[in-house]
Amino acid sequence: MCGIVGYIGGKQAAPLLLQGLEKLEYRGYDSAGLAVVDAGNGGIIVKKARGRLSALKKMTDCGKSIPGILGIGHTRWATHGEPNDVNSHPHLSRSGRVALVHNGIVENYAELRQYLCEQGYGFVSDTDTEVVVQLIDHYYENDPVAAVRRAADQLRGSFALGIVFADRPDLFIALRKDSPLIVGLGEGENFIASDVPALLAHTRRVIRLGEREMAVVTREGVTVYDHFGVKLEPEVLEITWDAESAEKGGYEHFMLKEIMEQPDAVRRTIAPRVRGDFTIELGLRRLTDDVLRSLDRICIVACGSSYHVGMVARYAIERMARVPVTVALASEFRYDNPMIGPETLVIIISQSGETLDTLFALREAKERGARVLSIVNVVGSSIAVESTDVLYTWAGPEIAVATTKAYSTQLALMQLFTLYLGRVRGRLTDLEAREEVRSLLATGDKLAELLKDTSHLQYLASLYFNRRDIFFMGRNIDYALALEGSLKLKEISYIHSEAYAAGELKHGTISLIEPGTLVVALCTGTKLHEKMLSNIREVKARGATVIALTTKPIPLDPNHPNANPDHIIELPACCELCAPSLSVVPLQLLAYYVALLKGCDIDKPRNLAKSVTVE
Ligand code: G6P
């Protein structure tokens, strides 16, 4: 949520800040703004505009009309106050001495605002952020670090902040708590950003600020302090993503590009963890085989699509490793007095590694003595750093808000972990495990085969893109996949959609099926083909149009053609473990092409943000 950038160096800041914000637009696109220190006149120039970044670019002639070599920028996903010009960031203090950009939510903003009003401060916006800038201004007596620290000590909630001072053209300050912020190290110039893509054009050397750490950024260098003001020696990470991986590369949308990248992303995630003899090498440091053998249960915690991966993984783990698994939504888990302890393995799944609910769930789990394994895409992110052990998905940067390749790599990695666990706990023989690993390794090629021809999905989308309701149904793993297919569709096409366990449909939802309603029936679990066919007949009898997704030919009823699915999507033959990785692809493509035909803004769907760093 919200994207922050900051720059100090020898170049004009505003155009660079806008370029950085362009790469962070997936984090929020309600409004955008810049604040640049005008060294010549001793002030701060603030420009902001409601709506997409393009409005701000137009207003500032792509930044060229704003002089200055030090500035901060922001792209907003509104929390407090509607997305208008006044509520947009950066916010300037009453005196004009301080400007800042903020990501997160300040929970005690009302009481701080009250205090500041009593001190004579006035407010122009509805935001929690304006309180922070006025508070820093209130404490500012020529020592920026002291003023920021004093103000930050009073803030409750989450924040990543970039702060400039009118009378300090030589530095800016960044600090964070529970919201991500990284520092980019250049030559004679330095940066801050919420995420790596904003920095890739300038540097690959980054420092990920830890909890409550503060960076004082100058042209020459960066000094990092902990919460108590102690100077730190932060680790400098080398980012291996290439700049092109965060570009569209000829595709119309990031989402389509990322769908097409899935074969390689899955291969990258699986292959390096498999030895030549098909045994698995996960490289876990603290979660030793003895620890994995001693577990009583597993609790998978995540949000959104990552939660759906957890639901698929539950079936696989219980079947192959015979460990009981519960799957919890991170936002619920924290407040649910979860029954976990030292014998529980909590698996946290998160693409960004920064989703606030998931991060807080992780902390809750650790406090209760559980060990935490995280499955994360972003190296060095908060969740990765705070877990007992981390397994990275090597999906590369994912820019489209609707996740695709991150989902696939999470799934593949969970399957590999399942096989490892099954082997370690003696539930799979050496031979069985190797056979499964061999099949899993083929997933990348099967995905590539599946993606060679998307014309059938384009055709189906053209038939049904104007439907009002689309239902998804399946049983067991197919139900978990139905949830993801339905989410993908509603996220980007705004069509009302629900996913149901097929047997449950008749307990209420079937009343919504009427002539013309589209139902996507997932039938990849061959053992349940007949049950699924009955459910398909139930909805067909009520006038629904059915698209069935299968791995093996469905036994159709020649005597009652009207009871059979209207369209069948057949997936390449594959092992049971790989089936979910393949089945999700037609669902992603269906959602994509439907949204395309509806003219939706696919990479930046309304009201959504990629990285959700508020509760
Ligand atoms: C947002 C994204 C989803 C994602 C979810 C969890 O809602 O739009 O695609 O699944 O957050 O994010 P995480 O980074 O924790 O996987």
Side-chain angles (χ1 to χ4, degrees):
M1 311 239 124
C2 302
I4 289 178
V5 290
Y7 173 79
I8 183 165
K11 302 182 190 126
Q12 189 180 1
L16 284 177
L17 294 171
L18 285 170
Q19 285 156 19
L21 287 179
E22 236 166 39
K23 304 282 183 256
L24 296 182
E25 247 204 312
Y26 63 86
R27 300 181 71 87
Y29 26 85
D30 291 338
S31 62
L34 295 176
V36 176
V37 176
D38 183 4
N41 298 311
I44 299 173
I45 305 166
V46 176
K47 296 280 176 204
K48 40 197 191 177
R50 188 200 159 140
R52 297 290 160 94
L53 193 61
S54 49
L56 183 66
K57 281 167 89 176
K58 202 163 160 207
M59 179 193 274
T60 61
D61 189 16
C62 289
K64 285 186 225 130
S65 69
I66 309 178
I69 54 163
L70 157 62
I72 49 179
H74 190 265
T75 171
R76 179 170 186 243
W77 187 89
T79 57
H80 291 62
E82 62 171 284
N84 58 25
D85 287 354
V86 177
N87 289 334
S88 305
H89 300 215
H91 287 276
L92 192 61
S93 67
R94 182 191 56 171
S95 68
R97 295 190 301 168
V98 189
L100 67 72
V101 287
H102 169 217
N103 176 10
I105 291 180
V106 175
E107 287 165 1
N108 57 336
Y109 83 102
E111 65 192 65
L112 292 172
R113 189 171 166 136
Q114 174 68 29
Y115 166 75
L116 287 163
C117 285
E118 284 160 17
Q119 307 303 310
Y121 282 85
F123 289 84
V124 289
S125 79
D126 307 318
T127 64
D128 50 341
T129 304
E130 197 185 359
V131 171
V132 185
V133 77
Q134 305 281 37
L135 197 61
I136 294 172
D137 182 282
H138 180 55
Y139 293 132
Y140 187 40
E141 287 166 7
N142 302 321
D143 183 348
V145 172
V148 171
R149 180 162 300 123
R150 203 161 161 203
D153 278 347
Q154 295 188 37
L155 305 180
R156 281 205 311 273
S158 58
F159 48 85
L161 299 168
I163 310 152
V164 293
F165 299 82
D167 59 355
R168 293 304 299 260
D170 58 328
L171 61 78
F172 69 97
I173 290 183
L175 83 160
R176 68 165 287 249
K177 174 185 172 280
D178 299 331
S179 277
L181 201 59
I182 55 179
V183 179
L185 304 173
E187 297 293 327
E189 56 183 5
N190 290 302
F191 309 79
I192 57 165
S194 299
D195 202 356
V196 170
L199 300 177
L200 282 179
H202 309 287
T203 180
R204 266 136 223 284
R205 295 175 61 234
V206 306
I207 297 169
R208 286 192 178 274
L209 289 182
E211 275 299 276
R212 288 192 170 273
E213 285 177 9
M214 176 196 287
V216 178
V217 187
T218 67
R219 273 180 78 163
E220 294 75 34
V222 177
T223 315
V224 179
Y225 300 95
D226 73 3
H227 179 42
F228 304 103
V230 177
K231 204 168 147 190
L232 303 172
E233 291 294 330
E235 186 188 356
V236 177
L237 299 169
E238 198 69 38
I239 301 294
T240 52
W241 295 349
D242 57 56
E244 289 74 49
S245 59
E247 302 292 339
K248 278 192 204 148
Y251 286 97
E252 196 176 346
H253 296 99
F254 276 111
M255 183 176 177
L256 187 59
K257 176 182 175 243
E258 288 161 5
I259 289 174
M260 295 299 174
E261 283 173 349
Q262 290 180 110
D264 279 345
V266 166
R267 286 185 196 114
R268 254 196 327 266
T269 301
I270 297 296
R273 294 174 163 119
V274 175
R275 298 194 193 96
D277 61 356
F278 298 107
T279 55
I280 302 168
E281 167 81 70
L282 290 181
L284 296 172
R285 286 175 303 140
R286 299 193 194 97
L287 294 167
T288 60
D289 290 356
D290 282 341
V291 171
L292 295 179
R293 270 189 283 271
S294 71
L295 300 172
D296 276 359
R297 51 186 289 245
I298 291 176
C299 181
I300 303 177
V301 187
C303 296
S305 296
S306 300
Y307 169 76
H308 294 158
V309 170
M311 290 191 63
V312 176
R314 178 175 82 79
Y315 292 103
I317 296 176
E318 292 198 336
R319 189 165 58 81
M320 295 188 146
R322 302 304 292 161
V323 187
V325 181
T326 49
V327 190
L329 288 166
S331 52
E332 291 291 308
F333 176 86
R334 272 185 82 195
Y335 303 106
D336 202 21
N337 196 6
M339 290 177 59
I340 55 171
E343 280 76 46
T344 318
L345 175 68
V346 171
I347 302 182
I348 296 276
I349 306 179
S350 175
Q351 185 282 129
S352 61
E354 301 290 352
T355 303
L356 200 69
D357 280 319
T358 314
L359 177 63
F360 286 165
L362 179 162
R363 291 181 186 161
E364 178 74 32
K366 280 176 75 181
E367 257 169 43
R368 288 171 187 257
R371 295 174 170 99
V372 179
L373 170 65
S374 62
I375 308 289
V376 173
N377 193 39
V378 178
V379 176
S381 53
S382 304
I383 289 174
V385 169
E386 294 187 31
S387 302
T388 315
D389 254 313
V390 54
L391 289 175
Y392 286 112
T393 49
W394 300 116
E398 193 180 61
I399 310 293
V401 167
T403 177
T404 52
K405 64 175 178 172
Y407 175 96
S408 302
T409 51
Q410 288 167 346
L411 197 57
L413 194 49
M414 282 305 293
Q415 286 157 334
L416 194 70
F417 175 74
T418 300
L419 295 177
Y420 188 78
L421 193 66
R423 182 70 201 106
V424 164
R425 293 175 69 99
R427 293 291 177 171
L428 290 174
T429 64
D430 188 38
L431 194 67
E432 283 167 340
R434 285 176 204 233
E435 273 312 303
E436 293 287 352
V437 169
R438 196 194 287 265
S439 311
L440 196 58
L441 277 173
T443 312
D445 293 347
K446 304 255 179 202
L447 282 169
E449 191 185 329
L450 192 58
L451 285 165
K452 256 192 216 146
D453 182 7
T454 63
S455 55
H456 190 43
L457 272 312
Q458 293 187 45
Y459 167 68
L460 291 176
S462 73
L463 295 181
Y464 302 117
F465 73 97
N466 54 7
R467 291 296 155 104
R468 195 192 55 187
D469 306 294
I470 300 184
F471 290 84
F472 289 74
M473 65 177 182
R475 287 169 179 261
N476 289 1
I477 283 191
D478 279 338
Y479 168 49
L481 280 157
L483 289 166
E484 177 61 9
S486 170
L487 180 68
K488 239 18 11 141
L489 185 84
K490 65 187 141 202
E491 273 181 311
I492 60 169
S493 76
Y494 316 140
I495 292 178
H496 167 251
S497 174
E498 289 182 40
Y500 262 83
E504 186 64 15
L505 206 65
K506 55 181 117 13
H507 295 289
T509 310
I510 202 162
S511 64
L512 298 175
I513 304 289
E514 52 188 42
T517 306
L518 182 64
V519 177
V520 180
L522 284 87
C523 315
T524 70
T526 44
K527 281 184 214 133
L528 295 167
H529 256 171
E530 284 181 4
K531 305 280 173 212
M532 279 304 297
L533 272 176
S534 306
N535 298 133
I536 288 173
R537 282 178 192 131
E538 285 160 14
V539 293
K540 287 284 300 176
R542 284 153 183 92
T545 309
V546 173
I547 300 176
L549 195 73
T550 69
T551 40
K552 285 204 180 133
I554 292 187
L556 299 176
D557 182 347
N559 301 318
H560 301 94
N562 283 343
N564 294 326
D566 300 82
H567 310 276
I568 295 181
I569 303 172
E570 224 172 282
L571 299 169
C574 65
C575 67
E576 226 180 308
L577 199 66
C578 307
S581 299
L582 301 187
S583 346
V584 74
V585 172
L587 306 182
Q588 296 167 343
L589 286 168
L590 185 67
Y592 175 79
Y593 288 118
V594 165
L596 191 66
L597 287 165
K598 289 192 73 188
C600 299
D601 192 346
I602 294 179
D603 286 336
K604 300 185 194 100
R606 72 179 175 216
N607 302 340
L608 300 182
K610 180 137 196 85
S611 181
V612 180
T613 51
V614 295
E615 269 193 88

